[in-house]
Amino acid sequence: MEFRYLGRSGLKISEIAYGNWLTHGSQVEEDAARACVRAALDEGITTFDTADVYAGTRAEEVLGRALKGQRREGLEIFTKVFWPTGPGPNDRGLSRKHIMEGIDGSLRRLGTDYVDLYQAHRFDHETPLEETLRAFDDLVRRGKVLYVGVSEWRAEEIERALKIADEMGFDRLVSNQPQYSMLWRVIEEEVVPLSEREGLGQIVWSPIAQGVLTGKYRPGQPLPEGSRATDDKGGANMISRFLDDELLTRVQNLRPIADELGLSMAQLAIAWTLQNPNVSAAIVGASRPEQVADNVKAAGVKLEADVLKRIDDVLGDSVVRDASKTVSPPTRP
């Protein structure tokens, strides 16, 4: 396993992180989830990412039980706050009330006294940004949170937060967690340049585009049974944007490149995200331990410039680059 700094902070994290969105507590049984976490640990992954909203808070519970007994100092545990975790109007968003109650719930479910990184899961248009950042800073000062970050924020939102933190003496954001893959590059034009300048690292999710970049979805063929595209718990909606025959044909044309490099399609996709120097880690998920072992082989892989150009040539205009695709709800969900 290779390790990278999280932005400009002093925290080192495994460049392959393990995430449990759409798996733990919903898509796979707990025994399988624990087996995947054990496989991640065996492969040298030390960084684990989750969120309070995943599987209606159950994902944090499963991860906490799976990591029980591990040396806490040897792990980096990340979670998030924003989406609804209860029926009330204050069970969501980034108000001081929800943040303070949210971290206590997450710590209880994870079975730990602190999280290494606490992330604002979306931008909250209904809460003053000063209120959110002060609450985050208070959690850092109380030792419940070591670092703070965001997920799926636009460049101008991150920039506003940094300016407020500097003016008010708050701990600065160290990271952003965006969707990023060969097919989805909306952060490259605005978020990455700002982050490089201001010292944030990207912890990217869906580096294999919900499984599309593994090549298992073939043009003109039925969807594989049991795949993300047939999951009615949220996966199918996310992946649908990639399931057109022209794009799937282009993805199949990446196979010769992967074969030449001795990589699986998934390894090529994950390694591609790690070529961006602003990426601190790529998050992988799994429903089977062997998927973890396969994905981890992307760590440390270097892709030459000619390989990156060939990938771009194959994918062509199928790549999504529009920065406006990063969107937070206009009101709390």
Side-chain angles (χ1 to χ4, degrees):
M1 180 55 61
E2 302 283 331
F3 293 83
R4 300 185 178 196
Y5 286 104
L6 181 56
R8 207 177 286 159
S9 78
L11 180 67
K12 284 191 172 183
I13 63 176
S14 54
E15 67 175 18
I16 307 290
Y18 183 84
N20 69 352
W21 174 56
L22 285 181
T23 51
H24 294 188
S26 58
Q27 198 180 66
V28 300
E29 297 297 326
E30 181 155 350
D31 286 350
R34 290 192 184 196
C36 289
V37 170
R38 283 196 300 272
L41 293 165
D42 289 345
E43 295 291 344
I45 291 175
T46 61
T47 305
F48 293 84
D49 181 81
T50 187
D52 55 8
V53 72
Y54 295 166
T57 72
R58 294 187 301 279
E60 286 184 327
E61 294 175 354
V62 173
L63 182 62
R65 288 192 290 267
L67 291 175
K68 188 175 182 180
Q70 298 295 318
R71 179 175 172 269
R72 180 63 183 89
E73 294 81 359
L75 302 173
E76 303 86 47
I77 299 176
F78 301 169
T79 193
K80 313 179 196 73
V81 60
F82 171 80
W83 295 102
T85 53
N90 289 309
D91 293 324
R92 62 206 68 216
L94 297 177
S95 67
R96 182 178 184 84
K97 176 176 173 63
H98 185 51
I99 288 172
M100 293 299 180
E101 293 172 350
I103 189 62
D104 286 342
S106 289
L107 294 178
R108 183 177 62 254
R109 290 185 290 269
L110 288 164
T112 183
D113 295 330
Y114 69 94
V115 293
D116 297 87
L117 179 69
Y118 202 39
Q119 302 158 96
H121 210 163
R122 288 297 186 276
F123 187 83
D124 185 355
H125 292 279
E126 295 189 7
T127 300
L129 193 47
E130 292 86 351
E131 177 179 337
T132 296
L133 296 175
R134 185 179 292 280
F136 272 11
D137 189 69
D138 285 346
L139 292 181
V140 172
R141 294 176 188 279
R142 294 178 189 181
K144 294 184 177 184
V145 169
L146 302 188
Y147 299 90
V148 292
V150 299
S151 177
E152 293 290 347
W153 281 29
R154 292 176 182 249
E156 60 265 29
E157 294 162 350
I158 295 171
E159 193 166 32
R160 278 179 56 202
L162 294 171
K163 184 173 184 293
I164 290 169
D166 288 345
E167 290 174 348
M168 302 186 75
F170 297 155
D171 261 44
R172 293 180 114 234
L173 304 175
V174 300
S175 64
N176 177 48
Q177 186 174 133
Q179 181 179 183
Y180 186 55
S181 71
M182 292 179 187
L183 298 175
W184 192 264
R185 308 188 193 179
V186 304
I187 62 171
E188 290 183 342
E189 183 179 354
E190 297 176 2
V191 169
V192 166
L194 171 69
S195 297
E196 288 176 335
R197 187 169 68 248
E198 297 289 348
L200 281 76
Q202 310 301 315
I203 309 161
V204 305
W205 61 272
S206 199
I208 58 175
Q210 284 93 57
V212 169
L213 289 170
T214 66
K216 67 181 177 182
Y217 298 98
R218 296 178 179 272
Q221 299 295 315
L223 298 174
E225 207 167 313
S227 66
R228 178 69 55 84
T230 61
D231 172 31
D232 61 1
K233 296 175 182 174
N237 182 55
M238 288 291 298
I239 200 174
S240 60
R241 71 185 72 171
F242 299 126
L243 296 179
D244 72 82
D245 283 354
E246 180 185 349
L247 185 149
L248 295 178
T249 298
R250 290 178 184 266
V251 170
Q252 291 302 317
N253 291 335
L254 293 173
R255 195 175 296 278
I257 300 175
D259 289 344
E260 288 174 27
L261 297 171
L263 301 173
S264 69
M265 292 276 281
Q267 289 162 6
L268 177 66
I270 296 165
W272 181 91
T273 67
L274 293 171
Q275 305 313 296
N276 187 325
N278 191 230
V279 171
S280 295
I283 300 173
V284 302
S287 55
R288 303 188 309 277
E290 54 267 28
Q291 292 172 326
V292 180
D294 180 77
N295 291 341
V296 163
K297 291 183 175 63
V301 171
K302 305 300 179 188
L303 302 179
E304 300 297 333
D306 65 309
V307 172
L308 297 175
K309 184 179 184 305
R310 286 173 65 192
I311 290 170
D312 285 348
D313 290 344
V314 166
L315 295 177
D317 59 7
S318 293
V319 175
V320 180
R321 302 179 184 273
D322 183 0
S324 70
K325 296 288 186 182
T326 299
V327 178
S328 293
T331 60
R332 291 180 193 166

